[in-house]
Amino acid sequence: HAKEAGNRYLFFSDDMNKQAVKRLQVENLIRLGLKEDYFQVYYQPKMSFETGKLVGMEALVRFVTPQKGVVSPGTFIPIAEETGQIVEIGDLVLKKACVDMKRWVDQGLIDGRVAVNLSARQFNLPNLLQRIDEVLEETGLSPANLELEITEGTVMDSPQGAINTMYQLRDRGIHLAMDDFGTGYSSLSYLRKFPLNTLKIDKAFVDDSKSDIGKAMIDTIITIARNLGLSTVAEGVETVEQQRFMADKNCDVLQGYLYSKPLSAEEFARFARAEINF
Ligand code: C2E
Ligand code: CA
Ligand code: CA
Ligand code: CA
């Protein structure tokens, strides 16, 4: 009996160990990456359907390591969230995005907004506003060229505090987008109290835009946005059919592989230049 139980215990513990070891490895790799500058920022274009023009882009972090190649955000972001390293990563993404955007605005390449994802931990930092002010001042970027994407989970943790922070960001002229809208639990009564500019329709809904239910969901989200005076962005648009459907529904901005995958800064500059000459 003892042996059996022992084996079972060992098996269980081995499994947990593997996970813990993997976590620790990623955590260590992140620490190294922060020191050695392995984090890069890629940019995915956002297109206005009405004008067909490039109106902005989403900054997406890429973890490029000599040890493990490119580690996807899906792998390291959840771990960085747990360890708190996401704060340093997020800060670096914000800084790089503002530096790049400032240069492109000055060069006349783009006159929209760069959207930076904020994690819950970052959003809830007591010095968030101070840090954002510092970055804007250091880089010289106008707040009118910055947008922040936050999720329902982030603001629903403590909605009253979130509303406060959001107003202070909005007062600076920074735009706010609710990311992955419809995938978390959001309360409609709170939604109207949040000083948002934009609802981002999650890729999952766009993927499902062939089914009747999927169509109805997108319809509903866009109607909510309209009624609240918010603009809409559809993410993950991959096909012309999806584009046509979203355009029929008057979705304002489209983002997805149909237009471009996320691009390195150099590639993005080329993309933007080609758009201007088009
Ligand atoms: P998200 O904010 O919902 O970002 C959209 C994701 O969809 C990105 O994945 C983007 O590359 C992908 N995507 C866009 N269009 C298409 C498409 O047409 N087809 C397909 N298959 N995918 C498309 P990515 O870059 O892997 O990022 C995944 C998630 O990681 C993001 O989801 C976001 O939650 C998080 N993330 C990425 N960068 C950052 C960051 O700098 N800070 C924070 N806090 N989170 C980040
Ligand atoms: Ca996002
Ligand atoms: Ca999403
Ligand atoms: Ca429109």
Side-chain angles (χ1 to χ4, degrees), residues 116-136:
V116 177
N117 291 284
L118 275 198
S119 77
R121 272 180 109 125
Q122 252 184 306
F123 183 81
N124 291 316
L125 283 178
N127 67 347
L128 171 77
L129 293 157
Q130 193 195 322
R131 190 56 201 137
I132 286 177
D133 289 342
E134 276 170 14
V135 171
L136 289 174

Side-chain angles (χ1 to χ4, degrees), residues 50-69:
E50 218 160 43
T51 65
K53 287 207 170 106
L54 176 68
V55 291
M57 65 286 210
E58 177 174 8
L60 293 158
V61 69
R62 292 292 176 264
F63 188 20
V64 189
T65 75
Q67 293 85 357
K68 301 260 172 195

Side-chain angles (χ1 to χ4, degrees), residues 58 117 149 151 179-181 183 200-204 235-236:
E58 177 174 8
N117 291 284
E149 297 190 1
T151 64
D179 206 357
D180 300 341
F181 183 70
T183 63
K200 275 196 97 171
I201 304 169
D202 192 66
K203 179 176 187 305
E235 85 179 9

